Amino acid sequence: RKEVEQDPGPFNVPEGATVAFNCTYSNSASQSFFWYRQDCRKEPKLLMSVYSSGNEDGRFTAQLNRASQYISLLIRDSKLSDSATYLCVVTSGNTPLVFGKGTRLSVIA
Amino acid sequence: DTGVSQDPRHKITKRGQNVTFRCDPISEHNRLYWYRQTLGQGPEFLTYFQNEAQLEKSRLLSDRFSAERPKGSFSTLEIQRTEQGDSAMYLCASSLGPEGYRPYFGPGTRLTVT
């Protein structure tokens, strides 16, 4: 089983739609969780950290379920500019970041 | 610009040649990571440093690869006797760690081995 698994997509959604991505991780000792966004041929950019209580940043909501070892990202009111690959990232305190393969999102006009 | 910088941005080399990449992290960040990414895959961990100490190396880092961070600031990644399978984007990231886990990536160095 891979350490971090994501549905690769692509998710093709119309503008204004709500879309959710899930990510599962295998290391129960994992402590820190992030979502990164990566545009084509660019570097990953930090979108948001994921906290146990769940957190929201504008149209983006991240949730963590430690018991089931999964993380989710919800995007409301999708914009064309949200089209990108979304990478789930997991780490425990003294280990490097472990990335999923990413989920591709295409928002269509 | 006070972000992570990498040089060169693109490198084309012939099989068998040696190449060296440089990464300059955000100045106060003591952790520095190297990752490799191929098309359709997420970044794969290669190695990381805490200040000048290399703390971990992936099994992906064969003996042809070596990384240094001599003064705890910039880092270099060298690939000797390059192979076509080395063609990838090489990404560097830095963070305050272990307390400040918000790693930021540089723009990457795209290597093409012909």
Side-chain angles (χ1 to χ4, degrees):
Chain A
R1 181 184 171 186
K2 287 194 175 294
E3 287 192 69
V4 178
E5 294 201 63
Q6 294 182 251
D7 181 344
F11 285 62
N12 299 315
V13 303
E15 273 187 290
T18 295
V19 62
F21 308 136
N22 288 329
C23 164
T24 57
Y25 61 95
S26 60
N27 184 354
S28 59
S30 300
Q31 297 177 3
S32 300
F33 310 89
F34 307 94
W35 284 102
Y36 277 73
R37 170 195 169 126
Q38 187 171 28
D39 294 293
C40 188
R41 302 180 77 82
K42 300 281 191 181
E43 75 273 22
K45 292 191 175 176
L46 181 65
L47 180 65
M48 57 197 302
S49 302
V50 186
Y51 303 117
S52 295
S53 55
N55 48 301
E56 190 173 305
D57 183 1
R59 297 182 293 107
F60 298 83
T61 300
Q63 299 272 353
L64 168 63
N65 184 320
R66 286 188 184 272
S68 301
Q69 295 182 203
Y70 81 78
I71 306 149
S72 64
L73 177 68
L74 183 79
I75 306 175
R76 290 182 299 278
D77 188 23
S78 300
K79 312 289 185 193
L80 293 174
S81 58
D82 294 334
S83 298
T85 296
Y86 291 84
L87 296 161
C88 174
V89 185
V90 172
T91 182
S92 59
N94 288 307
T95 60
L97 307 174
V98 180
F99 285 79
K101 288 189 176 183
T103 298
R104 271 187 53 206
L105 171 66
S106 290
V107 181
I108 304 161
Chain B
D1 185 354
T2 56
V4 179
S5 62
Q6 292 187 245
D7 182 69
R9 296 288 304 276
H10 303 275
K11 179 71 178 178
I12 300 174
T13 191
K14 292 186 177 178
R15 191 174 52 189
Q17 298 293 305
N18 299 342
V19 294
T20 300
F21 309 143
R22 176 179 170 125
C23 172
D24 286 88
I26 294 171
S27 60
E28 64 269 26
H29 284 185
N30 53 12
R31 283 214 171 171
L32 186 149
Y33 309 83
W34 284 101
Y35 283 80
R36 181 173 70 185
Q37 187 175 27
T38 53
L39 200 61
Q41 303 294 315
E44 296 175 299
F45 168 72
L46 293 178
T47 188
Y48 83 103
F49 294 83
Q50 172 95 6
N51 300 312
E52 65 274 11
Q54 190 171 19
L55 295 188
E56 189 172 336
K57 295 198 304 185
S58 163
R59 66 183 185 282
L60 293 175
L61 214 68
S62 75
D63 56 6
R64 296 185 298 106
F65 288 71
S66 62
E68 293 183 343
R69 195 182 183 197
K71 297 181 181 178
S73 57
F74 74 92
S75 176
T76 58
L77 177 70
E78 181 183 15
I79 309 174
Q80 296 182 327
R81 305 182 303 282
T82 51
E83 301 172 356
Q84 287 189 316
D86 297 331
S87 295
M89 175 78 91
Y90 289 83
L91 293 161
C92 175
S94 70
S95 72
L96 289 170
E99 298 81 17
Y101 263 117
R102 294 176 66 86
Y104 293 90
F105 280 83
T109 295
R110 184 169 296 280
L111 172 66
T112 302
V113 181
T114 61

